[in-house]
Amino acid sequence: LSQPFRSVVWPLLIKGAPFTLQVAAPGKGKYGTRRPDYLEKFPLAMVPSIEDKTGDSSVCISEAPAILAYLSSKHCWADIYPSDIAARAKVDEYCHWHHSNLR
């Protein structure tokens, strides 16, 4: 399981947030991210991705840093993603650097 996947799942597990895991992998196969039904929800065709359904609407997001920012804001997880804008900017800086330089 990839580092981006783990970076999303660990906070969910630590915080006890409910989630359902569905297998997706790059490509066009049975679980591929290039399937039309996957691309309809996640046009970037990336993993990890989440679909957060609330009532009649849903939010579909790909890319671990974006998912973590969304979940942290939604659930007020300031210990993961600070509410202070300057502290949050430092987290964003590292996430963007990490994505460009270490992967």
Side-chain angles (χ1 to χ4, degrees), residues 73-102:
S73 294
K74 178 182 177 180
H75 297 292
C76 299
W77 295 343
D79 56 327
I80 292 176
Y81 196 58
S83 54
D84 174 74
I85 195 164
R88 183 176 279 209
K90 294 306 285 182
V91 172
D92 289 338
E93 175 184 50
Y94 179 77
C95 286
H96 290 285
W97 175 84
H98 180 271
H99 189 72
S100 297
N101 293 287
L102 294 181

Side-chain angles (χ1 to χ4, degrees), residues 1-10 24 47-48 64 103:
L1 302 174
S2 71
Q3 181 276 324
F5 169 82
R6 292 189 312 268
S7 72
V8 170
V9 170
W10 287 346
V47 290
R103 289 187 57 212

Side-chain angles (χ1 to χ4, degrees), residues 33-55:
T33 60
R34 298 279 179 201
R35 296 183 337 264
D37 60 319
Y38 191 88
L39 289 170
E40 185 177 323
K41 292 180 182 181
F42 308 104
L44 297 178
M46 302 295 290
V47 290
S49 56
I50 65 164
E51 180 177 15
D52 185 16
K53 295 180 181 179
T54 306

Side-chain angles (χ1 to χ4, degrees), residues 19-34:
F19 67 95
T20 302
L21 181 64
Q22 294 183 327
V23 175
K28 293 184 179 183
K30 182 177 179 180
Y31 302 106
T33 60
R34 298 279 179 201

